[in-house]
Amino acid sequence: MALITLQVLDGADRGRRYDLLPTPITIGREEGNAVQLNDERISRFHIKIQEDQQKLVLTDLESTNGTRVNGEQVQLRILRYGDVISVGRSVLRYGTRKQIAQRLDALRAAGQVDAEELDSSALAKQAAESIPNIGIDWSASASGRSTLHLPVLPDLPEGLGPGQAAQLSEMIEYLHLRTRSLIDSVKFADEATTIDFTMDQWQEILEIQAILAEYLRKAGTPDGEE
């Protein structure tokens, strides 16, 4: 019996982590699923993940809106650590950070990392498909967009004590340094119109998103509740 870990990167349940779930499991919006997601675009029982011949297999349970793994529509798929599963408006990543790091090490050792590179168009496609369609017209005027929450850079909180301010500063600095390191690692020609990401860089982007999702959930959850 395989034990799997899933983390919700985006959607209403972003930041939630499901650790060491014994297979088989189902994911859906109703009670009775090992992973119940608050997402009206997910079917009652949307996907099943089970072990078969020492491989972890994802099966779409004839869901209404389908399932994507790494941006590709799938009905049946063998899962590998670091794979990104999109169901409805929710995005999940399979594997612990240690498992994903070990997979990347194995790919590098076998010289197979280049075979799994994702170009920028594929990344953009996957990102677009994972973001809910909330009816925002991004071509609207700046004054119209200013009334929306997401397109406007929020102000830092005021009235923080010295300890709180220092803690917030450390969090921002950590993410800033990690992002800067990622940006510095990208190589492209002067006239390039697209940029290729390696699997390492792609997982680093997902990891930063996972950290932010954890912070957002903890910030919005009262002490002692989950």
Side-chain angles (χ1 to χ4, degrees):
M1 179 179 61
L3 300 175
I4 68 173
T5 295
L6 296 164
Q7 181 168 16
V8 185
L9 301 180
D10 208 353
D13 296 283
R14 65 185 179 185
R16 191 177 296 280
R17 181 188 297 274
Y18 299 88
D19 289 309
L20 302 177
L21 297 176
T23 54
I25 70 164
T26 57
I27 299 175
R29 71 170 189 269
E30 288 204 355
E31 293 183 5
N33 290 283
V35 177
Q36 182 185 8
L37 297 174
N38 182 24
D39 188 334
E40 74 279 5
R41 295 198 64 190
I42 293 177
S43 296
R44 295 170 57 248
F45 292 88
H46 197 104
I47 62 176
K48 181 178 183 178
I49 300 176
Q50 60 189 333
E51 187 180 18
D52 184 56
Q53 298 182 358
Q54 298 184 325
K55 296 183 184 298
L56 203 65
V57 180
L58 177 149
T59 304
D60 182 276
L61 300 175
E62 299 184 355
S63 64
T64 302
N65 293 309
T67 301
R68 293 182 182 272
V69 176
N70 299 332
E72 296 297 324
Q73 190 84 32
V74 299
Q75 178 63 36
L76 196 65
R77 177 69 176 259
I78 294 175
L79 289 180
R80 297 170 176 84
Y81 298 132
D83 280 350
V84 177
I85 305 165
S86 300
V87 287
R89 292 184 168 91
S90 302
V91 182
L92 303 90
R93 182 174 61 164
Y94 162 55
T96 65
R97 289 161 183 165
K98 181 178 179 180
Q99 288 170 334
I100 294 168
Q102 288 174 340
R103 181 192 173 200
L104 292 174
D105 287 342
L107 288 172
R108 282 193 294 268
Q112 296 177 354
V113 172
D114 290 344
E116 299 205 17
E117 288 179 357
L118 301 174
D119 63 28
S120 57
S121 61
L123 296 182
K125 177 183 177 184
Q126 181 174 341
E129 289 166 345
S130 70
I131 297 174
N133 178 11
I134 54 179
I136 296 177
D137 181 4
W138 298 104
S139 63
S141 66
S143 59
R145 291 199 304 270
S146 66
T147 61
L148 301 171
H149 173 66
L150 288 177
V152 180
L153 180 66
D155 293 328
L156 287 171
E158 298 180 356
L160 296 177
Q164 292 174 314
Q167 188 174 11
L168 177 60
S169 178
E170 283 187 346
M171 292 167 60
I172 295 173
E173 182 181 11
Y174 172 81
L175 293 169
H176 177 260
L177 292 175
R178 194 155 184 173
T179 304
R180 185 174 68 186
S181 177
L182 174 61
I183 292 171
D184 289 344
S185 72
V186 177
K187 307 297 181 184
F188 58 94
D190 291 339
E191 301 300 325
T193 58
T194 62
I195 299 174
D196 290 341
F197 286 83
T198 66
M199 180 59 81
D200 277 0
Q201 291 163 337
W202 177 232
Q203 290 299 330
E204 180 70 10
I205 292 171
L206 294 177
E207 179 64 16
I208 293 172
Q209 185 183 22
I211 292 169
L212 289 170
E214 288 181 8
Y215 284 158
L216 285 168
R217 173 161 290 277
K218 289 178 179 178
T221 302
D223 291 343
E225 295 185 12
E226 181 57 38

